[in-house]
Amino acid sequence: MRCPLCHVLIALTLLCNALLLYYTWHLQLRPSGHQALSHGLSPGITVIVREFRTFEHGLEELKRSFLHAHPSLPLLVASDTLPYPPLSGIHVLRLNLSPEQPSSAARLDSHIYTRLVALVPDGTTLDPPDLLDRMARALRDAPTGVRIIAAAAGDSLRCLHLNISLQKWTAEYRPAAVGEHCGAVSGAAVLMLRSRDLFDLPFPLARPLQTTMFMQASLRGWGVQVLSGVSFPRTLFPATDHGRWKAEQAERLEEASTMRMLGVRLVRGPDGAEKWFGCSKETPRCFGTVVGETPEYLYEGRWTPPCCLRALRLTTRHVITVLEASGVRYWLEGGSLLGAARHQDIIPWDYDVDLGIYLEDVNLCTELRGAQGGSLVDSEGFVWERAIEGDFFRVQFSQHNHLHVDLWPFYPRDGVMTRDSWTGHPQDVEFPESFLQPLQTLSFIGMSVQAPNRHIELLRMKFGDRAIEEPEYPNPSLLRMRGR
Protein backbone atom coordinates (compact mmCIF):
# COMPACT_ATOMS: atom_id res chain seq x y z
CA MET A 1 0.00 0.00 0.00
CA ARG A 2 2.95 2.31 0.62
CA CYS A 3 4.17 2.25 -2.97
CA PRO A 4 0.96 3.62 -4.58
CA LEU A 5 0.81 6.27 -1.85
CA CYS A 6 4.34 7.37 -2.73
CA HIS A 7 3.35 7.69 -6.35
CA VAL A 8 0.44 9.90 -5.37
CA LEU A 9 2.64 12.11 -3.20
CA ILE A 10 5.24 12.47 -5.96
CA ALA A 11 2.53 13.42 -8.47
CA LEU A 12 1.09 16.03 -6.14
CA THR A 13 4.53 17.50 -5.54
CA LEU A 14 5.18 17.78 -9.28
CA LEU A 15 1.77 19.38 -9.82
CA CYS A 16 2.38 21.95 -7.10
CA ASN A 17 5.76 22.82 -8.61
CA ALA A 18 4.19 23.22 -12.04
CA LEU A 19 1.46 25.49 -10.66
CA LEU A 20 4.05 27.59 -8.83
CA LEU A 21 6.10 28.00 -12.00
CA TYR A 22 2.99 28.98 -13.99
CA TYR A 23 1.91 31.48 -11.34
CA THR A 24 5.37 33.07 -11.27
CA TRP A 25 5.44 33.30 -15.09
CA HIS A 26 1.91 34.72 -15.15
CA LEU A 27 2.81 37.46 -12.68
CA GLN A 28 5.77 38.44 -14.83
CA LEU A 29 3.49 38.86 -17.84
CA ARG A 30 0.73 40.64 -15.92
CA PRO A 31 2.30 43.28 -13.68
CA SER A 32 -0.21 45.08 -11.51
CA GLY A 33 -0.39 47.73 -8.88
CA HIS A 34 1.98 50.49 -7.90
CA GLN A 35 5.01 48.21 -7.73
CA ALA A 36 4.75 47.31 -11.44
CA LEU A 37 4.33 50.95 -12.39
CA SER A 38 7.28 52.14 -10.36
CA HIS A 39 9.64 49.66 -12.01
CA GLY A 40 8.57 50.28 -15.61
CA LEU A 41 5.48 48.91 -17.30
CA SER A 42 6.76 48.03 -20.74
CA PRO A 43 6.99 44.25 -20.15
CA GLY A 44 3.34 44.43 -19.03
CA ILE A 45 2.19 46.06 -22.27
CA THR A 46 1.52 44.29 -25.54
CA VAL A 47 2.18 46.46 -28.57
CA ILE A 48 -0.28 45.78 -31.39
CA VAL A 49 0.36 47.02 -34.91
CA ARG A 50 -2.79 46.92 -37.00
CA GLU A 51 -2.60 50.01 -39.19
CA PHE A 52 -0.05 49.03 -41.83
CA ARG A 53 -0.12 47.97 -45.47
CA THR A 54 1.26 44.61 -46.45
CA PHE A 55 2.55 45.97 -49.76
CA GLU A 56 4.68 48.75 -48.23
CA HIS A 57 5.45 49.19 -44.55
CA GLY A 58 8.07 49.93 -41.91
CA LEU A 59 7.44 47.03 -39.53
CA GLU A 60 11.08 45.93 -39.36
CA GLU A 61 12.15 49.41 -38.29
CA LEU A 62 9.30 49.59 -35.77
CA LYS A 63 10.31 46.23 -34.31
CA ARG A 64 13.95 47.27 -33.94
CA SER A 65 13.02 50.52 -32.22
CA PHE A 66 10.59 49.03 -29.70
CA LEU A 67 12.59 45.90 -28.91
CA HIS A 68 15.85 47.82 -28.64
CA ALA A 69 14.27 49.87 -25.86
CA HIS A 70 12.53 46.88 -24.24
CA PRO A 71 13.79 43.47 -25.46
CA SER A 72 11.05 41.56 -23.60
CA LEU A 73 8.21 43.73 -24.93
CA PRO A 74 5.44 41.58 -26.50
CA LEU A 75 4.95 42.78 -30.10
CA LEU A 76 1.97 41.58 -32.11
CA VAL A 77 1.17 42.36 -35.74
CA ALA A 78 -2.53 41.93 -36.57
CA SER A 79 -3.31 41.33 -40.22
CA ASP A 80 -6.20 39.99 -42.27
CA THR A 81 -3.78 37.77 -44.17
CA LEU A 82 -0.20 36.71 -43.62
CA PRO A 83 2.12 39.55 -44.68
CA TYR A 84 4.16 38.88 -47.80
CA PRO A 85 7.12 38.70 -47.84
CA PRO A 86 6.96 37.08 -44.38
CA LEU A 87 8.02 39.10 -41.35
CA SER A 88 11.02 37.82 -39.42
CA GLY A 89 10.87 37.59 -35.64
CA ILE A 90 7.42 39.16 -35.32
CA HIS A 91 4.39 37.34 -33.98
CA VAL A 92 1.49 37.67 -36.45
CA LEU A 93 -2.17 37.42 -35.46
CA ARG A 94 -4.02 36.37 -38.59
CA LEU A 95 -7.56 37.75 -38.34
CA ASN A 96 -9.02 35.91 -41.35
CA LEU A 97 -8.44 32.27 -40.52
CA SER A 98 -7.72 29.50 -42.96
CA PRO A 99 -10.02 26.45 -42.74
CA GLU A 100 -7.59 24.21 -40.85
CA GLN A 101 -7.13 26.68 -37.98
CA PRO A 102 -9.16 26.63 -34.75
CA SER A 103 -11.44 29.59 -34.06
CA SER A 104 -9.37 30.47 -30.98
CA ALA A 105 -6.45 31.36 -33.25
CA ALA A 106 -8.10 34.69 -34.08
CA ARG A 107 -9.12 35.53 -30.51
CA LEU A 108 -7.15 38.34 -28.94
CA ASP A 109 -7.08 36.71 -25.52
CA SER A 110 -5.25 33.76 -27.09
CA HIS A 111 -2.35 36.07 -27.98
CA ILE A 112 -2.35 38.81 -25.32
CA TYR A 113 -1.36 38.03 -21.71
CA THR A 114 -0.54 41.52 -20.47
CA ARG A 115 -2.74 43.88 -18.52
CA LEU A 116 -2.36 46.74 -21.02
CA VAL A 117 -2.23 47.08 -24.79
CA ALA A 118 -0.83 49.85 -26.96
CA LEU A 119 -2.20 50.25 -30.49
CA VAL A 120 0.65 51.65 -32.54
CA PRO A 121 0.47 52.86 -36.16
CA ASP A 122 3.09 51.81 -38.70
CA GLY A 123 6.24 53.92 -38.85
CA THR A 124 6.23 54.78 -35.13
CA THR A 125 9.48 54.93 -33.14
CA LEU A 126 9.83 54.47 -29.37
CA ASP A 127 12.00 57.45 -28.50
CA PRO A 128 12.53 58.15 -25.64
CA PRO A 129 12.14 54.60 -24.29
CA ASP A 130 9.82 55.56 -21.41
CA LEU A 131 6.93 56.81 -23.58
CA LEU A 132 4.84 53.68 -23.05
CA ASP A 133 5.48 53.81 -19.31
CA ARG A 134 4.28 57.41 -19.19
CA MET A 135 1.09 56.45 -21.03
CA ALA A 136 0.53 53.57 -18.61
CA ARG A 137 0.89 55.86 -15.61
CA ALA A 138 -1.53 58.33 -17.19
CA LEU A 139 -4.08 55.54 -17.65
CA ARG A 140 -3.64 54.45 -14.03
CA ASP A 141 -4.17 58.01 -12.78
CA ALA A 142 -6.88 58.99 -15.30
CA PRO A 143 -10.18 60.45 -14.05
CA THR A 144 -13.20 58.20 -13.77
CA GLY A 145 -14.63 57.45 -17.18
CA VAL A 146 -11.36 57.80 -19.11
CA ARG A 147 -10.53 54.39 -20.57
CA ILE A 148 -8.17 55.33 -23.41
CA ILE A 149 -4.95 57.35 -23.38
CA ALA A 150 -3.90 58.90 -26.69
CA ALA A 151 -0.43 60.20 -27.54
CA ALA A 152 0.50 61.86 -30.81
CA ALA A 153 2.32 59.76 -33.40
CA GLY A 154 3.96 62.47 -35.45
CA ASP A 155 1.84 65.63 -35.61
CA SER A 156 -0.15 66.94 -32.65
CA LEU A 157 -3.65 65.71 -31.83
CA ARG A 158 -6.94 67.59 -31.75
CA CYS A 159 -9.49 66.71 -29.08
CA LEU A 160 -13.00 66.07 -30.40
CA HIS A 161 -16.43 65.37 -28.96
CA LEU A 162 -18.16 62.39 -30.61
CA ASN A 163 -21.86 61.63 -30.51
CA ILE A 164 -23.18 58.37 -31.94
CA SER A 165 -26.91 57.93 -32.50
CA LEU A 166 -27.66 54.35 -33.49
CA GLN A 167 -31.35 55.27 -33.71
CA LYS A 168 -30.53 57.83 -36.42
CA TRP A 169 -27.59 55.88 -37.90
CA THR A 170 -25.30 58.88 -37.49
CA ALA A 171 -21.94 59.84 -35.98
CA GLU A 172 -21.19 63.50 -35.39
CA TYR A 173 -17.91 65.12 -34.37
CA ARG A 174 -17.38 68.61 -33.00
CA PRO A 175 -14.43 70.34 -31.28
CA ALA A 176 -14.40 69.43 -27.60
CA ALA A 177 -15.15 72.25 -25.17
CA VAL A 178 -12.54 73.40 -22.66
CA GLY A 179 -12.45 70.95 -19.76
CA GLU A 180 -14.49 68.35 -21.66
CA HIS A 181 -13.18 64.81 -22.04
CA CYS A 182 -12.32 63.86 -25.59
CA GLY A 183 -14.51 61.30 -27.29
CA ALA A 184 -12.06 61.01 -30.17
CA VAL A 185 -8.94 62.65 -31.54
CA SER A 186 -7.96 63.73 -35.02
CA GLY A 187 -4.43 62.89 -36.10
CA ALA A 188 -2.38 59.70 -35.94
CA ALA A 189 -2.10 58.43 -32.37
CA VAL A 190 -0.75 55.68 -30.18
CA LEU A 191 -3.68 54.45 -28.08
CA MET A 192 -3.36 52.66 -24.75
CA LEU A 193 -6.14 50.85 -22.92
CA ARG A 194 -6.63 47.90 -20.65
CA SER A 195 -6.60 44.52 -22.34
CA ARG A 196 -9.92 43.54 -20.83
CA ASP A 197 -11.54 46.62 -22.40
CA LEU A 198 -10.14 45.71 -25.80
CA PHE A 199 -11.42 42.14 -25.40
CA ASP A 200 -14.93 43.41 -24.62
CA LEU A 201 -15.29 45.30 -27.90
CA PRO A 202 -17.22 43.47 -30.63
CA PHE A 203 -14.94 44.85 -33.37
CA PRO A 204 -11.62 45.43 -31.57
CA LEU A 205 -9.31 45.61 -34.60
CA ALA A 206 -11.61 46.66 -37.43
CA ARG A 207 -10.19 49.27 -39.80
CA PRO A 208 -9.81 52.23 -39.85
CA LEU A 209 -8.65 51.38 -36.34
CA GLN A 210 -8.88 54.78 -34.63
CA THR A 211 -12.30 55.60 -36.08
CA THR A 212 -13.73 52.23 -35.11
CA MET A 213 -12.16 52.31 -31.66
CA PHE A 214 -13.53 55.75 -30.82
CA MET A 215 -17.02 54.96 -32.08
CA GLN A 216 -17.24 51.81 -29.96
CA ALA A 217 -15.79 53.71 -26.99
CA SER A 218 -18.35 56.51 -27.41
CA LEU A 219 -21.24 54.04 -27.32
CA ARG A 220 -19.89 52.78 -23.97
CA GLY A 221 -19.35 56.23 -22.51
CA TRP A 222 -15.56 55.87 -22.42
CA GLY A 223 -13.54 59.07 -22.34
CA VAL A 224 -10.25 59.63 -24.18
CA GLN A 225 -7.42 61.61 -22.62
CA VAL A 226 -4.69 63.18 -24.74
CA LEU A 227 -1.29 62.91 -23.06
CA SER A 228 0.17 66.39 -23.33
CA GLY A 229 3.85 66.85 -24.00
CA VAL A 230 4.24 63.34 -25.39
CA SER A 231 4.82 62.57 -29.07
CA PHE A 232 6.11 59.42 -30.72
CA PRO A 233 8.38 60.10 -33.72
CA ARG A 234 6.83 58.65 -36.86
CA THR A 235 7.76 58.08 -40.48
CA LEU A 236 4.81 57.95 -42.84
CA PHE A 237 4.17 54.70 -44.68
CA PRO A 238 3.56 53.96 -47.48
CA ALA A 239 6.35 56.25 -48.57
CA THR A 240 5.79 56.13 -52.34
CA ASP A 241 3.08 57.88 -54.36
CA HIS A 242 1.80 54.59 -55.72
CA GLY A 243 1.75 53.03 -52.27
CA ARG A 244 -0.17 55.97 -50.84
CA TRP A 245 -2.69 55.75 -53.67
CA LYS A 246 -3.23 52.04 -52.97
CA ALA A 247 -3.55 52.74 -49.26
CA GLU A 248 -6.16 55.45 -49.85
CA GLN A 249 -8.23 53.14 -52.04
CA ALA A 250 -8.05 50.36 -49.47
CA GLU A 251 -8.96 52.67 -46.58
CA ARG A 252 -11.99 53.98 -48.45
CA LEU A 253 -13.32 50.45 -48.88
CA GLU A 254 -12.47 49.50 -45.29
CA GLU A 255 -14.21 52.56 -43.91
CA ALA A 256 -17.39 51.88 -45.90
CA SER A 257 -17.42 48.25 -44.77
CA THR A 258 -16.84 49.17 -41.12
CA MET A 259 -19.51 51.87 -41.08
CA ARG A 260 -22.05 49.40 -42.43
CA MET A 261 -20.94 46.90 -39.78
CA LEU A 262 -21.38 49.49 -37.03
CA GLY A 263 -24.75 50.61 -38.41
CA VAL A 264 -23.56 54.14 -39.24
CA ARG A 265 -24.80 55.63 -42.51
CA LEU A 266 -23.79 59.28 -42.06
CA VAL A 267 -20.70 60.83 -40.47
CA ARG A 268 -20.50 64.59 -39.89
CA GLY A 269 -17.01 65.92 -39.34
CA PRO A 270 -16.07 68.78 -37.00
CA ASP A 271 -16.07 71.12 -40.00
CA GLY A 272 -19.61 70.08 -40.96
CA ALA A 273 -18.51 67.95 -43.93
CA GLU A 274 -20.68 64.87 -44.49
CA LYS A 275 -19.62 61.35 -45.49
CA TRP A 276 -22.36 58.96 -46.60
CA PHE A 277 -22.16 55.18 -46.28
CA GLY A 278 -25.69 54.10 -47.14
CA CYS A 279 -27.77 53.52 -50.23
CA SER A 280 -27.59 55.55 -53.45
CA LYS A 281 -29.14 55.57 -56.91
CA GLU A 282 -26.85 52.69 -57.85
CA THR A 283 -27.72 50.45 -54.87
CA PRO A 284 -30.91 49.01 -53.34
CA ARG A 285 -32.46 50.79 -50.38
CA CYS A 286 -31.38 49.85 -46.86
CA PHE A 287 -34.47 47.82 -45.95
CA GLY A 288 -36.68 45.21 -47.55
CA THR A 289 -40.40 44.91 -48.21
CA VAL A 290 -42.44 46.61 -45.48
CA VAL A 291 -44.94 44.33 -43.73
CA GLY A 292 -47.82 45.76 -41.72
CA GLU A 293 -46.64 49.35 -42.29
CA THR A 294 -43.73 48.59 -39.91
CA PRO A 295 -40.26 48.60 -41.50
CA GLU A 296 -37.74 46.12 -40.15
CA TYR A 297 -35.51 48.81 -38.67
CA LEU A 298 -38.22 49.90 -36.22
CA TYR A 299 -38.05 46.49 -34.55
CA GLU A 300 -34.33 47.14 -34.02
CA GLY A 301 -35.00 50.41 -32.20
CA ARG A 302 -33.84 52.49 -35.17
CA TRP A 303 -35.49 55.07 -37.38
CA THR A 304 -35.24 55.55 -41.13
CA PRO A 305 -31.58 55.55 -42.27
CA PRO A 306 -30.47 59.08 -43.21
CA CYS A 307 -29.46 57.99 -46.71
CA CYS A 308 -33.04 56.81 -47.27
CA LEU A 309 -34.45 60.08 -45.97
CA ARG A 310 -32.10 61.94 -48.28
CA ALA A 311 -33.29 59.87 -51.25
CA LEU A 312 -36.92 60.52 -50.33
CA ARG A 313 -36.28 64.26 -50.13
CA LEU A 314 -34.51 64.28 -53.50
CA THR A 315 -37.32 62.29 -55.11
CA THR A 316 -39.99 64.51 -53.58
CA ARG A 317 -38.32 67.72 -54.74
CA HIS A 318 -38.01 66.29 -58.24
CA VAL A 319 -41.64 65.16 -58.36
CA ILE A 320 -42.94 68.50 -57.09
CA THR A 321 -40.82 70.37 -59.63
CA VAL A 322 -42.29 68.26 -62.45
CA LEU A 323 -45.88 68.60 -61.20
CA GLU A 324 -45.65 72.36 -60.77
CA ALA A 325 -44.06 72.80 -64.20
CA SER A 326 -46.90 70.73 -65.70
CA GLY A 327 -49.70 72.59 -63.91
CA VAL A 328 -50.79 69.52 -61.91
CA ARG A 329 -52.57 70.42 -58.66
CA TYR A 330 -51.04 68.45 -55.80
CA TRP A 331 -50.95 68.50 -51.98
CA LEU A 332 -49.30 66.72 -49.09
CA GLU A 333 -51.24 63.63 -48.08
CA GLY A 334 -51.33 61.14 -45.20
CA GLY A 335 -48.21 60.71 -43.12
CA SER A 336 -46.33 63.31 -45.15
CA LEU A 337 -48.89 65.97 -44.22
CA LEU A 338 -48.53 64.84 -40.61
CA GLY A 339 -44.74 65.16 -40.94
CA ALA A 340 -45.08 68.70 -42.28
CA ALA A 341 -47.35 69.70 -39.39
CA ARG A 342 -45.14 68.12 -36.74
CA HIS A 343 -41.56 68.23 -38.09
CA GLN A 344 -41.67 70.42 -41.22
CA ASP A 345 -40.06 67.35 -42.76
CA ILE A 346 -40.57 63.66 -43.39
CA ILE A 347 -41.45 61.81 -40.18
CA PRO A 348 -38.08 60.44 -38.97
CA TRP A 349 -39.30 56.82 -39.09
CA ASP A 350 -41.37 57.06 -42.30
CA TYR A 351 -40.37 55.15 -45.42
CA ASP A 352 -42.21 56.91 -48.28
CA VAL A 353 -43.86 60.22 -49.20
CA ASP A 354 -47.52 60.69 -50.10
CA LEU A 355 -48.92 63.38 -52.39
CA GLY A 356 -52.51 63.80 -53.52
CA ILE A 357 -53.23 65.00 -57.06
CA TYR A 358 -56.37 65.85 -59.02
CA LEU A 359 -57.25 62.94 -61.31
CA GLU A 360 -58.30 65.31 -64.08
CA ASP A 361 -54.78 66.82 -64.14
CA VAL A 362 -52.95 63.55 -64.85
CA ASN A 363 -52.82 64.09 -68.61
CA LEU A 364 -51.15 67.47 -68.12
CA CYS A 365 -47.92 65.72 -67.09
CA THR A 366 -45.81 63.90 -69.69
CA GLU A 367 -44.30 61.61 -67.06
CA LEU A 368 -47.69 60.58 -65.65
CA ARG A 369 -49.04 59.94 -69.13
CA GLY A 370 -46.03 57.74 -69.85
CA ALA A 371 -46.50 55.86 -66.58
CA GLN A 372 -50.08 54.88 -67.42
CA GLY A 373 -48.90 52.31 -69.93
CA GLY A 374 -46.12 50.83 -67.79
CA SER A 375 -43.11 52.77 -66.55
CA LEU A 376 -40.99 55.70 -67.68
CA VAL A 377 -37.43 56.53 -66.66
CA ASP A 378 -36.94 60.28 -66.89
CA SER A 379 -33.78 62.17 -67.80
CA GLU A 380 -32.60 62.24 -64.17
CA GLY A 381 -33.06 58.52 -63.57
CA PHE A 382 -36.32 58.65 -61.58
CA VAL A 383 -38.83 55.93 -62.45
CA TRP A 384 -42.49 56.87 -62.99
CA GLU A 385 -44.94 53.95 -62.98
CA ARG A 386 -48.46 52.87 -62.18
CA ALA A 387 -48.43 51.03 -58.87
CA ILE A 388 -49.34 47.35 -58.88
CA GLU A 389 -51.11 47.63 -55.50
CA GLY A 390 -53.89 49.92 -56.70
CA ASP A 391 -55.04 52.76 -58.90
CA PHE A 392 -52.29 55.26 -58.12
CA PHE A 393 -48.84 56.33 -59.36
CA ARG A 394 -45.41 55.81 -57.87
CA VAL A 395 -42.11 57.60 -58.55
CA GLN A 396 -39.03 55.65 -57.51
CA PHE A 397 -35.61 57.09 -56.71
CA SER A 398 -34.01 54.91 -59.39
CA GLN A 399 -34.28 51.56 -61.12
CA HIS A 400 -32.08 50.06 -58.38
CA ASN A 401 -33.34 51.98 -55.38
CA HIS A 402 -37.10 51.76 -54.83
CA LEU A 403 -37.55 54.48 -52.24
CA HIS A 404 -40.55 56.29 -53.61
CA VAL A 405 -43.21 58.99 -53.66
CA ASP A 406 -46.81 57.80 -54.06
CA LEU A 407 -49.23 59.98 -56.05
CA TRP A 408 -52.88 59.43 -55.13
CA PRO A 409 -55.43 60.62 -57.75
CA PHE A 410 -58.53 62.18 -56.12
CA TYR A 411 -61.59 63.74 -57.70
CA PRO A 412 -64.48 65.72 -56.18
CA ARG A 413 -67.95 64.19 -55.99
CA ASP A 414 -70.75 66.14 -54.33
CA GLY A 415 -68.20 68.28 -52.49
CA VAL A 416 -66.21 65.28 -51.21
CA MET A 417 -62.72 64.24 -52.37
CA THR A 418 -62.76 60.56 -53.23
CA ARG A 419 -60.80 57.93 -55.17
CA ASP A 420 -61.58 54.90 -57.28
CA SER A 421 -59.50 52.54 -55.12
CA TRP A 422 -58.48 52.41 -51.46
CA THR A 423 -55.70 50.61 -49.62
CA GLY A 424 -57.52 49.81 -46.40
CA HIS A 425 -55.33 52.03 -44.22
CA PRO A 426 -57.37 53.64 -41.38
CA GLN A 427 -56.33 57.15 -42.52
CA ASP A 428 -57.30 56.42 -46.13
CA VAL A 429 -60.72 58.12 -46.15
CA GLU A 430 -62.81 60.57 -48.12
CA PHE A 431 -62.79 64.17 -46.93
CA PRO A 432 -64.62 67.43 -47.74
CA GLU A 433 -63.11 69.37 -50.63
CA SER A 434 -63.45 72.45 -48.42
CA PHE A 435 -60.63 71.02 -46.29
CA LEU A 436 -58.45 71.12 -49.39
CA GLN A 437 -59.36 74.34 -51.17
CA PRO A 438 -57.98 76.86 -51.44
CA LEU A 439 -54.57 75.22 -51.25
CA GLN A 440 -51.99 76.75 -48.92
CA THR A 441 -48.23 76.13 -48.56
CA LEU A 442 -46.40 74.47 -45.69
CA SER A 443 -42.68 74.11 -45.03
CA PHE A 444 -41.60 70.58 -45.89
CA ILE A 445 -38.15 69.11 -46.70
CA GLY A 446 -36.70 72.62 -46.85
CA MET A 447 -39.12 74.03 -49.39
CA SER A 448 -42.66 75.43 -49.60
CA VAL A 449 -45.05 72.66 -50.59
CA GLN A 450 -48.78 72.80 -51.37
CA ALA A 451 -51.03 71.45 -48.63
CA PRO A 452 -54.73 71.39 -47.66
CA ASN A 453 -56.06 74.68 -46.35
CA ARG A 454 -57.59 73.12 -43.21
CA HIS A 455 -54.81 70.62 -42.67
CA ILE A 456 -55.18 70.37 -38.88
CA GLU A 457 -58.83 69.32 -39.17
CA LEU A 458 -57.95 66.87 -41.94
CA LEU A 459 -55.18 65.30 -39.86
CA ARG A 460 -57.49 64.90 -36.88
CA MET A 461 -60.03 63.20 -39.13
CA LYS A 462 -57.42 60.82 -40.53
CA PHE A 463 -55.22 60.10 -37.49
CA GLY A 464 -57.11 61.18 -34.36
CA ASP A 465 -57.35 64.29 -32.21
CA ARG A 466 -53.87 63.99 -30.63
CA ALA A 467 -51.91 62.74 -33.65
CA ILE A 468 -49.75 65.85 -33.96
CA GLU A 469 -48.97 66.15 -30.25
CA GLU A 470 -48.52 62.44 -29.53
CA PRO A 471 -46.30 60.72 -32.13
CA GLU A 472 -46.81 57.03 -32.74
CA TYR A 473 -45.49 54.40 -35.11
CA PRO A 474 -47.61 53.63 -38.21
CA ASN A 475 -49.13 50.41 -36.85
CA PRO A 476 -49.30 50.50 -33.02
CA SER A 477 -50.98 47.10 -32.96
CA LEU A 478 -47.66 45.63 -34.13
CA LEU A 479 -45.19 48.03 -32.52
CA ARG A 480 -45.62 51.03 -30.27
CA MET A 481 -43.12 53.78 -29.56
CA ARG A 482 -41.21 53.24 -26.32
CA GLY A 483 -42.71 55.06 -23.40
CA ARG A 484 -46.20 55.00 -24.92
Side-chain angles (χ1 to χ4, degrees):
M1 295 296 293
R2 287 197 298 270
C3 188
L5 181 59
C6 290
H7 291 165
V8 171
L9 292 174
I10 291 171
L12 288 173
T13 301
L14 291 174
L15 178 61
C16 289
N17 287 334
L19 290 173
L20 181 61
L21 287 171
Y22 174 78
Y23 182 72
T24 303
W25 169 79
H26 203 60
L27 284 179
Q28 290 175 343
L29 284 176
R30 294 179 180 263
S32 61
H34 179 75
Q35 181 180 5
L37 286 169
S38 63
H39 288 86
L41 262 177
S42 296
I45 302 168
T46 296
V47 171
I48 304 175
V49 185
R50 171 61 170 145
E51 290 289 35
F52 75 98
R53 296 298 165 186
T54 57
F55 49 81
E56 190 178 337
H57 55 77
L59 294 181
E60 291 291 347
E61 293 85 350
L62 185 151
K63 179 190 75 172
R64 281 195 292 269
S65 173
F66 279 75
L67 295 186
H68 175 75
H70 301 283
S72 60
L73 185 72
L75 180 61
L76 179 66
V77 169
S79 180
D80 295 326
T81 58
L82 290 175
Y84 175 80
L87 302 172
S88 61
I90 299 179
H91 181 48
V92 177
L93 165 58
R94 183 175 178 180
L95 299 174
N96 291 341
L97 298 178
S98 56
E100 76 280 3
Q101 292 179 287
S103 60
S104 61
R107 283 171 39 194
L108 287 175
D109 57 4
S110 297
H111 300 263
I112 298 172
Y113 303 99
T114 57
R115 189 167 58 89
L116 304 175
V117 292
L119 306 174
V120 178
D122 190 13
T124 304
T125 303
L126 185 57
D127 183 23
D130 69 339
L131 290 180
L132 291 177
D133 293 340
R134 292 162 66 180
M135 294 186 72
R137 292 187 178 92
L139 182 59
R140 178 198 63 183
D141 299 332
T144 302
V146 171
R147 306 287 277 271
I148 299 175
I149 299 296
D155 296 334
S156 61
L157 301 178
R158 182 185 180 193
C159 181
L160 301 174
H161 174 80
L162 172 60
N163 180 54
I164 307 285
S165 173
L166 292 182
Q167 186 180 62
K168 297 181 179 180
W169 310 73
T170 60
E172 188 165 2
Y173 296 87
R174 62 167 173 80
V178 176
E180 183 180 22
H181 286 321
C182 306
V185 298
S186 64
V190 173
L191 304 179
M192 182 170 288
L193 65 159
R194 294 173 181 86
S195 300
R196 65 173 182 266
D197 287 339
L198 185 68
F199 297 160
D200 284 343
L201 297 178
F203 312 110
L205 296 178
R207 294 168 116 174
L209 184 62
Q210 282 188 204
T211 300
T212 312
M213 181 66 60
F214 293 141
M215 286 189 176
Q216 294 176 95
S218 176
L219 290 169
R220 287 157 178 78
W222 297 357
V224 180
Q225 179 178 308
V226 175
L227 194 58
S228 60
V230 172
S231 180
F232 288 76
R234 182 172 181 237
T235 301
L236 292 179
F237 285 95
T240 65
D241 290 340
H242 181 64
R244 283 192 291 270
W245 178 83
K246 289 177 65 177
E248 289 169 2
Q249 302 303 309
E251 184 170 345
R252 189 175 294 112
L253 294 175
E254 290 164 356
E255 186 178 28
S257 175
T258 297
M259 291 303 106
R260 287 193 293 270
M261 183 172 62
L262 293 173
V264 173
R265 297 290 185 267
L266 172 60
V267 176
R268 290 193 180 94
D271 58 354
E274 295 183 339
K275 297 178 73 173
W276 294 86
F277 299 99
C279 61
S280 67
K281 272 189 176 291
E282 289 71 40
T283 66
R285 68 185 185 184
C286 298
F287 56 95
T289 301
V290 176
V291 178
E293 303 176 69
T294 308
E296 58 195 44
Y297 49 79
L298 289 182
Y299 291 104
E300 300 171 4
R302 293 172 176 257
W303 290 351
T304 310
C307 50
C308 297
L309 290 173
R310 179 178 67 163
L312 286 173
R313 294 187 188 104
L314 290 172
T315 307
T316 303
R317 292 189 185 104
H318 178 74
V319 170
I320 288 174
T321 299
V322 171
L323 295 180
E324 290 182 345
S326 304
V328 175
R329 291 167 292 174
Y330 74 91
W331 62 92
L332 289 168
E333 254 295 328
S336 299
L337 180 60
L338 182 60
R342 188 193 294 148
H343 308 278
Q344 294 77 56
D345 201 348
I346 300 168
I347 294 175
W349 50 86
D350 208 351
Y351 52 89
D352 63 7
V353 170
D354 295 306
L355 298 177
I357 59 174
Y358 271 88
L359 177 61
E360 63 185 277
D361 292 350
V362 166
N363 287 329
L364 297 176
C365 177
T366 302
E367 287 79 2
L368 289 177
R369 288 200 307 271
Q372 292 189 78
S375 65
L376 179 149
V377 181
D378 67 23
S379 59
E380 296 186 36
F382 295 91
V383 182
W384 299 67
E385 62 184 13
R386 181 174 288 277
I388 61 174
E389 301 96 323
D391 190 17
F392 63 98
F393 296 95
R394 175 165 288 162
V395 185
Q396 297 183 145
F397 185 45
S398 73
Q399 291 177 293
H400 300 286
N401 191 324
H402 294 172
L403 289 159
H404 57 266
V405 173
D406 286 334
L407 301 173
W408 303 94
F410 283 82
Y411 59 91
R413 183 175 60 193
D414 298 328
V416 174
M417 298 301 293
T418 188
R419 298 207 313 257
D420 287 333
S421 66
W422 302 91
T423 62
H425 295 167
Q427 69 270 21
D428 206 5
V429 295
E430 297 178 333
F431 59 92
E433 189 175 15
S434 60
F435 281 16
L436 182 64
Q437 294 293 349
L439 289 168
Q440 64 167 335
T441 60
L442 293 177
S443 179
F444 184 68
I445 61 169
M447 62 187 299
S448 293
V449 179
Q450 293 181 12
N453 182 43
R454 295 161 64 181
H455 67 285
I456 300 297
E457 294 174 76
L458 181 56
L459 287 172
R460 287 174 176 165
M461 173 188 289
K462 286 176 173 285
F463 296 99
D465 290 341
R466 302 288 298 170
I468 299 175
E469 297 82 5
E470 298 177 358
E472 186 53 271
Y473 286 152
N475 191 343
S477 65
L478 289 180
L479 183 67
R480 297 188 66 88
M481 292 189 73
R482 292 180 181 177
R484 293 296 305 278

